[in-house]
Amino acid sequence: MHIPTLFFLVFFTFLSCKNPKPQPTATVIVHGGAGYINTELMTQEEEDGIRKAIEKSLQKSHQHLADGGTSVEAVQIAINILEDSPYFNAGKGSVFTSSGTNELDASIMNGQNGQAGAVAGLTNIKNPIDAAIAVMEHSPHVFMIGKGAEEFAVIHGLDTVPQTYFYNKDRYKEHIEGLSEDRSKFGTVGAVAIDHNGNIAAGTSTGGMNNKRFGRVGDVPVIGAGTYAENGVGGLSATGHGEYFIRNVATYDIAAQVKYGNTTLDEAGYNTLMKKLKSQGGDGGVIGLDSQGGVVIHCNTVAMPRGYISSKGEAVVMIDME
Ligand code: ASP
């Protein structure tokens, strides 16, 4: 190579290592599940539906924060909108179990006080994230499952729906035919928000994995696996092959690198998703905000619908990872 060019490249590389690109900061960030369907494989209608729902979720949640709302409320607002959309594997768009039923899981964590709530195996609650919040705010417990969780949600005034509410032609086809490798997706939804007091919250909601055995619970309602938040450290929500996220205690693994090591949340997310899980064959992604609102996005599959509201109030929405 031409010597001055080589010198320039080495010098430039040195400079860029010394001055890493500043991370964008945000008040709220959401994801709509990692997977192998990128925009090339989507219909225009599907892509538009996903983008619009993410944008709406970000804007409503951001507006709530701007009006002085808390980060837990902002996460709830963001997730409710995605749960009500048929394009994501959570709430309305949940996948089917191998028995043709729907079993929904969700969790929330409040980084201000370390409180958390989670539910698993819900069959008739419209918005599982609301049930997780009810467990956190109105019970001495963290994790409730099945009938007991449903009864608790109803006592706290949450909306119920018949199982037919979750019927969706495309999801049912995926249940009958199974997912091909290159069209597989997870579709879970999650959100992380930071409010005007600097309090961070994270939440995640899912229908689980297509054709999971009934009774199977994934990482989403497991605090420290699918969801984690701690003021001063950050907030995280994951999506992907849940068993790997549970075995690696993935979101806490990321937080712990920041807490006990000298790592940024972004580097820690990279280490866990792109090195550790990837080397094990654990497909998935994670979104987060560090304690200053720094955006964290890592995913080892080809696509993960996601977006954040920048500190200037603009919605940035992306689907493909490349
Ligand atoms: N993590 C979820 C689960 O294993 C699936 C997903 O992210 O869509 O249940």
Side-chain angles (χ1 to χ4, degrees):
M1 189 185 280
H2 185 231
I3 299 290
T5 311
L6 183 66
F7 176 76
F8 175 77
L9 277 180
V10 170
F11 184 66
F12 183 75
T13 310
F14 171 76
L15 267 188
S16 48
C17 292
K18 280 284 190 206
N19 303 301
K21 225 169 107 208
Q23 254 177 292
T25 56
T27 51
V28 55
I29 181 166
V30 305
H31 72 78
Y36 287 94
I37 303 190
N38 59 13
T39 45
E40 274 173 35
L41 292 169
M42 284 175 186
T43 62
Q44 196 56 48
E45 188 193 336
E46 192 178 5
E47 183 180 340
D48 293 348
I50 289 172
R51 285 187 185 278
K52 276 199 192 118
I54 290 185
E55 213 172 295
K56 182 173 168 197
S57 150
L58 288 168
Q59 274 156 356
K60 295 267 180 207
S61 157
H62 174 69
Q63 188 55 52
H64 189 75
L65 289 168
D67 293 343
T70 68
S71 53
V72 169
E73 292 159 356
V75 165
Q76 179 176 23
I77 290 168
I79 292 185
N80 280 168
I81 289 168
L82 301 175
E83 285 177 331
D84 292 345
S85 159
Y87 292 104
F88 305 95
N89 169 21
K92 172 87 184 131
S94 290
V95 296
F96 290 86
T97 67
S98 56
S99 322
T101 52
N102 307 92
E103 295 181 355
L104 284 51
D105 307 332
S107 69
I108 181 92
M109 187 159 188
N110 182 344
Q112 182 192 4
N113 52 19
Q115 293 290 311
V119 288
L122 304 185
T123 59
N124 67 356
I125 301 299
K126 181 168 173 276
N127 294 104
I129 194 69
D130 296 0
I133 293 172
V135 171
M136 174 172 80
E137 293 182 347
H138 304 298
S139 87
H141 309 306
V142 169
F143 201 166
M144 294 177 72
I145 60 162
K147 292 264 166 287
E150 289 172 350
E151 201 176 302
F152 183 80
V154 169
I155 291 169
H156 287 88
L158 302 197
D159 290 344
T160 57
V161 286
Q163 275 266 311
T164 50
Y165 170 78
F166 302 110
Y167 179 79
N168 168 314
K169 195 165 56 46
D170 296 332
R171 295 282 191 226
Y172 198 70
K173 195 162 169 253
E174 288 165 4
H175 156 60
I176 298 297
E177 294 174 5
L179 295 172
S180 61
E181 282 277 295
D182 63 342
R183 274 198 67 83
S184 72
K185 63 175 173 184
F186 298 104
T188 289
V189 306
V192 180
I194 182 163
D195 61 29
H196 66 286
N197 288 319
N199 292 323
I200 300 182
T204 315
S205 180
T206 190
M209 287 178 72
N210 185 48
N211 284 341
K212 65 184 177 183
R213 194 179 164 80
F214 74 93
R216 176 264 189 189
V217 176
D219 59 316
V220 166
V222 179
I223 297 298
T227 303
Y228 190 74
E230 182 174 339
N231 279 13
V233 175
L236 297 149
S237 167
T239 166
H241 196 149
E243 281 69 11
Y244 290 86
F245 285 77
I246 296 176
R247 289 186 204 112
N248 287 284
V249 203
T251 52
Y252 186 71
D253 186 65
I254 298 171
Q257 293 171 58
V258 177
K259 216 170 134 109
Y260 303 116
N262 191 17
T263 314
T264 65
L265 197 72
D266 192 40
E267 282 164 1
Y270 180 84
N271 292 340
T272 302
L273 261 294
M274 310 309 283
K275 292 188 186 164
K276 204 172 181 181
L277 265 84
K278 193 173 177 185
S279 70
Q280 298 170 13
D283 287 348
V286 70
I287 54 149
L289 294 179
D290 69 21
S291 57
Q292 306 306 311
V295 165
V296 173
I297 299 170
H298 292 291
C299 180
N300 62 36
T301 66
V302 302
M304 178 172 69
R306 62 201 183 278
Y308 59 85
I309 287 272
S310 70
S311 43
K312 291 193 192 115
E314 291 153 3
V316 182
V317 179
M318 293 153 290
I319 297 180
D320 296 344
M321 287 314 295
E322 296 305 316

